[in-house]
Amino acid sequence: MDSITKSVFFSLFVSAIFSGMLCGAKATSLFVFGDSYVDTGNRNQSAQSWNSPYGMTWPRRPSGRFSNGRLLTDYLAQAMGTSSPVPYAHLQQYINLPEGVKDGINFAFAGSGVFAGYEPTNFATQVDQFEELLRANLSGLPSLTDSVVLLSTGGNDYLLYLAANGSLQELPAYIVNVTGEIVRNVERLHGLGMKKFVISNLGNMGCAPYVSAVFGFRRCVKEFDLAIAYHNNLLLQGIKASLGSGDDADFVILDQVAAFSFIFHHQYLFGLKHKLQPCCIGMPGTDTYCAQTSESGESLFTLCKNPQTHFFWDHIHPTQAGWAGLTSLFIDNSGFIQSKTPTTNLATWLSCVQTSRLSPL
Ligand SMILES: *[C@@H]1O[C@H](CO)[C@@H](O)[C@H](O)[C@H]1NC(C)=O
Ligand SMILES: *[C@@H]1O[C@H](CO)[C@@H](O)[C@H](O)[C@H]1NC(C)=O
Ligand SMILES: *[C@@H]1O[C@H](CO)[C@@H](O)[C@H](O)[C@H]1NC(C)=O
Ligand SMILES: *[C@@H]1O[C@H](CO)[C@@H](O)[C@H](O)[C@H]1NC(C)=O
């Protein structure tokens, strides 16, 4: 063994001890729940994400993803060495699905919330769909013990609350309700047999172009920071309280705020020239949006030259480059995740599913 190989082996050994468990089976499949940050194509053709230029960078045509290319889901699957799981809607459309469900299933629905959201398929409904498939003994499902839940939800609940002029006095109570409902449905997934959870917290909504447009995309709106911190703190406490004790569950929280803030301050490390200015946006001074066309087919949006130099793709969603940057921080560093068992990074955590310990026979 040469010295580099030795040092790699040594660090693997140390991280196995550090994470408090020996690496058993590697996590091999993903069950995904939540909103457009993780939906890889559950909406039908009437959604904006099925129109060009969505998907222009990858797969070079619209794929139902709200980005120019890959999302968190795709990069997490890549880090696990699997394919991105099939969207639930495709299971219903094709009976003999060629790709099958061996890599898991994606139930996430763009526009959905924890409660009402912009779309009725909320988090609880997605868990119902999962439960129905388990009840029906869908063939080819991977072992749930070796699978990982990926969850991103809550953002749409707050966008709607603000759009409906929800009161600021009642916001803390609403945050308690939203995070409580997230935890309740995570507990349902645990009850259905899921053991490993990767849960995204709420990102810097005040930096989303939809919000920062009031400052001409030059700076973030800070007024939401306290509410976001409160949501993220309650989410962490709630998840710790429900999955934090005992040996039969493990979790990692992806700290979107910390990761975004790091990218924001080191943009050139990620090849990004534009932090807040989105690539694809409606015409200035109108309420049109990315990919919208007039009845005569004329574009009602503007598109940047190179989406790979922008963090934001449209009014609310990161580009593929944005997601690649965020995911690389979660995968390779400990500073952007909070986990039940101390771990060096998400890559180590994913490769350390300890099946025998998680489900004693
Ligand atoms: C497409 O989905 C939306 C909900 O997202 C629904 O209201 C609409 O009826 C669907 N359209 C078709 C053609 O299925
Ligand atoms: C699924 O399998 C279980 C256990 O084998 C069985 O009790 C149940 O009836 C099956 N459900 C369906 C819908 O086939
Ligand atoms: C919210 O308030 C704005 C400004 O006062 C008003 O124009 C808008 O109609 C209100 N929206 C709702 C949903 O009540
Ligand atoms: C929170 O949930 C409780 C219980 O369902 C409800 O009574 C209350 O109105 C909710 N508060 C807010 C601000 O949504």
Side-chain angles (χ1 to χ4, degrees):
M1 235 194 266
D2 61 38
S3 62
I4 292 176
T5 317
K6 264 187 202 152
S7 81
V8 169
F9 267 81
F10 182 71
S11 67
L12 286 177
F13 178 68
V14 169
S15 55
I17 292 183
F18 185 53
S19 68
M21 51 170 110
L22 291 171
C23 295
K26 199 167 160 350
T28 52
S29 37
L30 268 178
F31 288 89
V32 186
F33 301 86
D35 53 29
S36 56
Y37 277 8
V38 289
D39 178 1
T40 53
N42 277 313
R43 292 278 295 269
N44 65 28
Q45 302 282 330
S46 68
Q48 179 191 357
S49 57
W50 285 106
N51 294 332
S52 197
Y54 282 87
M56 65 177 278
T57 304
W58 180 90
R60 296 178 183 272
R61 58 186 155 74
S63 70
R65 287 168 175 78
F66 277 81
S67 185
N68 61 313
R70 297 171 179 86
L71 311 174
L72 177 60
T73 311
D74 304 300
Y75 286 117
L76 189 61
Q78 197 178 79
M80 290 165 58
T82 71
S83 303
S84 204
V86 61
Y88 174 69
H90 297 193
L91 284 183
Q92 299 177 304
Q93 280 165 27
Y94 313 109
I95 294 161
N96 292 314
L97 201 72
E99 61 264 53
V101 293
K102 70 174 174 40
D103 301 315
I105 302 172
N106 189 340
F107 295 89
F109 202 86
S112 73
V114 177
F115 293 120
Y118 296 88
E119 292 291 332
T121 313
N122 66 10
F123 180 25
T125 308
Q126 296 167 26
V127 178
D128 293 343
Q129 292 168 341
F130 178 54
E131 192 170 3
E132 265 171 43
L133 288 185
L134 294 180
R135 285 236 183 86
N137 298 334
L138 179 73
S139 68
L141 271 187
S143 141
L144 300 188
T145 314
D146 295 336
S147 302
V148 170
V149 166
L150 171 63
L151 171 65
S152 160
T153 189
N156 288 322
D157 295 271
Y158 297 119
L159 289 177
L160 271 169
Y161 185 85
L162 296 174
N165 298 331
S167 85
L168 286 181
Q169 281 81 6
E170 300 249 323
L171 186 56
Y174 187 64
I175 295 173
V176 169
N177 286 3
V178 168
T179 51
E181 181 68 2
I182 295 178
V183 171
R184 192 181 74 81
N185 283 290
V186 164
E187 282 171 354
R188 283 181 65 200
L189 288 169
H190 184 216
L192 291 171
M194 300 303 303
K195 310 279 187 202
K196 307 269 288 183
F197 294 81
V198 174
I199 301 172
S200 180
N201 71 12
L202 197 61
N204 308 52
M205 286 171 60
C207 299
Y210 172 71
V211 179
S212 75
V214 296
F215 295 138
F217 311 121
R218 277 186 296 275
R219 60 188 178 85
C220 305
V221 174
K222 298 271 176 222
E223 276 72 11
F224 304 122
D225 289 1
L226 267 181
I228 291 165
Y230 187 51
H231 170 100
N232 288 344
N233 187 32
L234 285 186
L235 179 68
L236 177 62
Q237 298 317 321
I239 295 294
K240 264 189 189 161
S242 65
L243 305 179
S245 58
D247 269 357
D248 77 330
D250 202 356
F251 68 83
V252 164
I253 305 272
L254 306 180
D255 193 345
Q256 297 284 2
V257 173
F260 177 80
S261 167
F262 184 86
I263 293 178
F264 200 74
H265 290 106
H266 304 86
Q267 59 184 85
Y268 292 105
L269 288 178
F270 300 88
L272 300 170
K273 289 194 187 127
H274 309 276
K275 293 191 269 201
L276 298 179
Q277 175 80 45
C279 174
C280 185
I281 193 107
M283 294 307 213
T286 71
D287 58 2
T288 60
Y289 46 79
C290 177
Q292 196 177 354
T293 51
S294 69
E295 302 229 322
S296 59
E298 177 197 3
S299 293
L300 298 178
F301 60 93
T302 61
L303 181 64
C304 70
K305 284 211 174 62
N306 184 0
Q308 291 295 87
T309 61
H310 289 251
F311 179 84
F312 282 108
W313 164 247
D314 63 10
H315 63 296
I316 205 102
H317 306 103
T319 56
Q320 169 170 291
W323 280 122
L326 290 168
T327 320
S328 72
L329 294 177
F330 302 136
I331 296 284
D332 299 331
N333 298 274
S334 63
F336 303 96
I337 57 175
Q338 289 138 348
S339 56
K340 176 177 168 182
T341 42
T343 186
T344 42
N345 55 42
L346 186 55
T348 308
W349 187 85
L350 287 168
S351 64
C352 283
V353 176
Q354 228 280 7
T355 314
S356 59
R357 192 178 128 187
L358 288 174
S359 60
L361 290 171

